[in-house]
Amino acid sequence: MASLDRRVVVTGGAGFLGSHLCERLVKRGDDVLCVDNFFTGSKRNIQHLAREPGFELVRHDVTFPLYVEVDQIFNLACPASPVHYQFDPVQTTKTSVHGAINMLGLAKRVKARILQASTSEVYGDPEVHPQVESYWGRVNPIGRRSCYDEGKRCAETLFFDYQRQHALEVKVVRIFNTYGPRMHPNDGRVVSNFVVQALRGEDVTIYGDGSQTRSFCYVDDLIEGMLRMMDSEKDFHGPVNLGNPGEYTMLELAEKVLRVVGSTSRIVHAPLPLDDPRQRRPDIGLAKAKLGWQPTVSLDDGLKATVAYFRALLSG
Ligand code: NAD
Ligand code: UDP
Ligand code: UDP
């Protein structure tokens, strides 16, 4: 029998990040249970794992209870792109909040370690730059992004209350914008939008004047950080920022994508969505100190790999 001794649940495992995480876990010999309702994820993302003895897939919505026997839980279930999380905002909050309660209840019953995929959105439109974990954020509680931002903030609250109240081994990572192969081509996030538009020779749509900034982390770096956090010392709960501290305006990103693709697409401007954060960059001092982690893939190299993925996808 294979040495499948660590049983790991990945909720949202058929999504962009979840599928990369499942792949890494299966590769290292874990027994992986991928739980997904396929709202934004797809079977295609995990098809290559289907024949692995250490991989199992369940169609399940985390807003409903889940009874399984496991050792670790990575809770990633939640649409991440503004277009998708605003499609059914009530369901988005339910997924974050009820989903967290169910996964924490599961962790409590089976005494599993549990990691929450939180987000830089908990900082909202920040007045502290770069963002440090001790900053409480500036979030609109009643806007279009609130279903996601407040849902994720409440999930963090639940994680820390289960830790204090029930001595659970919780781990919270705040993920900054991450990109790479297996992003959904229509998911509306900026890297996939720009790359797909550039490859198709369509106009590249910058929202607003393009002076807003983001920091982009390549998916392999991010997954490495998540794994290190899950295996970190028992009493370290986070929250810890995971992201790439390189900061770019959307105009700079568009120009980079056009260069990497070799595209002649025009850059056009479209209205800026409400509550769109002006600037975002992680302070990763804590991740460096506690996890010995920092990103290693440059934006140019990460974009090359991402463009290659979308080029194959669009021509297939
Ligand atoms: P994604 O949309 O590709 O993946 C989310 C997955 O969760 C999908 O497979 C979807 O079908 C599944 N899901 C949604 N609602 C569910 C439910 N109720 N029950 C079961 N499954 C459900 O997004 P992603 O980029 O892979 O993000 C994964 C996680 O990381 C999310 O929690 C997101 O908030 C967080 N995150 C991602 C980023 C990023 O830049 N990619 C940044 C910050 C935080
Ligand atoms: N839960 C679950 N799987 C389990 C154990 C619990 O999905 O293996 C859910 C259960 O539906 C409950 C939630 O987790 O609503 C919270 O569980 P907890 O034990 O913390 O609270 P209680 O059951 O007392 O409400
Ligand atoms: N954006 C853009 N054009 C697009 C998609 C997004 O200019 O086609 C901008 C968006 O307004 C935001 C930034 O890119 O300022 C990042 O957007 P994304 O939806 O990827 O992530 P988030 O806003 O959640 O960081």
Side-chain angles (χ1 to χ4, degrees):
M1 219 181 93
S3 62
L4 301 173
D5 46 12
R6 186 158 40 183
R7 299 159 304 173
V8 185
V9 165
V10 179
T11 76
F16 162 48
L17 295 181
S19 63
H20 286 273
L21 177 60
C22 286
E23 192 174 305
R24 280 287 299 272
L25 294 170
V26 166
K27 264 195 196 139
R28 75 177 191 190
D30 289 352
D31 190 1
V32 177
L33 180 63
C34 169
V35 173
D36 207 296
N37 70 349
F38 303 116
F39 176 53
T40 51
S42 86
K43 286 185 191 161
R44 226 184 15 255
N45 286 342
I46 41 164
Q47 216 169 21
H48 61 296
L49 299 174
R51 277 190 304 273
E52 298 283 344
F55 183 78
E56 198 179 345
L57 172 64
V58 196
R59 182 193 290 266
H60 175 80
D61 184 324
V62 293
T63 61
F64 296 98
L66 177 69
Y67 286 85
V68 288
E69 307 308 311
V70 289
D71 305 302
Q72 289 188 346
I73 303 164
F74 287 87
N75 188 36
L76 275 64
C78 186
S81 144
V83 176
H84 287 136
Y85 70 64
Q86 290 169 18
F87 172 76
D88 185 350
V90 172
Q91 181 63 21
T92 299
T93 303
K94 281 186 187 169
T95 292
S96 276
V97 176
H98 293 187
I101 291 173
N102 286 328
M103 290 309 108
L104 287 161
L106 170 63
K108 183 180 128 198
R109 182 178 63 78
V110 300
K111 299 190 172 43
R113 193 173 263 210
I114 179 166
L115 178 144
Q116 168 68 358
S118 190
T119 167
S120 53
E121 283 286 316
V122 302
Y123 301 121
D125 192 4
E127 325 87 329
V128 169
H129 193 74
Q131 289 78 58
V132 280
E133 291 85 350
S134 53
Y135 174 51
W136 290 356
R138 184 163 74 113
V139 175
N140 175 358
I142 56 167
R144 299 259 174 215
R145 297 176 86 101
S146 312
C147 59
Y148 183 75
D149 299 8
E150 298 289 17
K152 289 284 189 179
R153 285 170 67 96
C154 184
E156 287 200 8
T157 307
L158 284 160
F159 267 67
F160 280 86
D161 280 334
Y162 267 79
Q163 194 280 317
R164 284 183 287 258
Q165 208 172 323
H166 301 297
L168 244 63
E169 283 184 33
V170 306
K171 307 277 174 187
V172 176
V173 294
R174 291 183 176 156
I175 303 169
F176 284 65
N177 299 61
T178 301
Y179 70 99
R182 296 200 205 118
M183 292 184 93
H184 195 288
N186 301 325
D187 121 329
R189 282 183 271 190
V190 68
V191 173
S192 43
N193 269 12
F194 285 3
V195 169
V196 169
Q197 289 163 340
L199 283 168
R200 288 184 172 145
E202 294 168 359
D203 292 346
V204 168
T205 53
I206 289 189
Y207 300 161
D209 64 7
S211 63
Q212 71 271 35
T213 68
R214 292 292 186 275
S215 299
F216 297 99
C217 187
Y218 188 63
V219 61
D220 291 354
D221 281 333
L222 196 277
I223 300 299
E224 177 64 29
M226 282 176 94
L227 292 171
R228 286 189 191 207
M229 181 57 174
M230 182 58 112
D231 290 335
S232 63
E233 62 192 65
K234 188 169 178 286
D235 294 332
F236 180 54
H237 307 296
V240 63
N241 290 338
L242 293 181
N244 191 317
E247 183 181 358
Y248 300 87
T249 66
M250 293 312 99
L251 203 52
E252 286 168 337
L253 178 71
E255 283 162 358
K256 243 183 202 307
V257 168
L258 289 178
R259 248 195 332 272
V260 173
V261 172
S263 170
T264 52
S265 287
R266 288 184 318 151
I267 289 179
V268 299
H269 292 266
L272 188 68
L274 278 176
D275 294 334
D276 198 278
R278 284 286 317 147
Q279 53 179 7
R280 183 181 290 157
R281 169 155 63 98
D283 180 315
I284 59 164
L286 187 63
K288 275 187 185 160
K290 287 290 199 178
L291 311 176
W293 176 87
Q294 62 181 338
T296 58
V297 181
S298 68
L299 183 55
D300 281 306
D301 287 346
L303 283 178
K304 277 181 202 151
T306 309
V307 166
Y309 168 80
F310 279 111
R311 188 168 266 139
L313 187 79
L314 298 181
S315 68

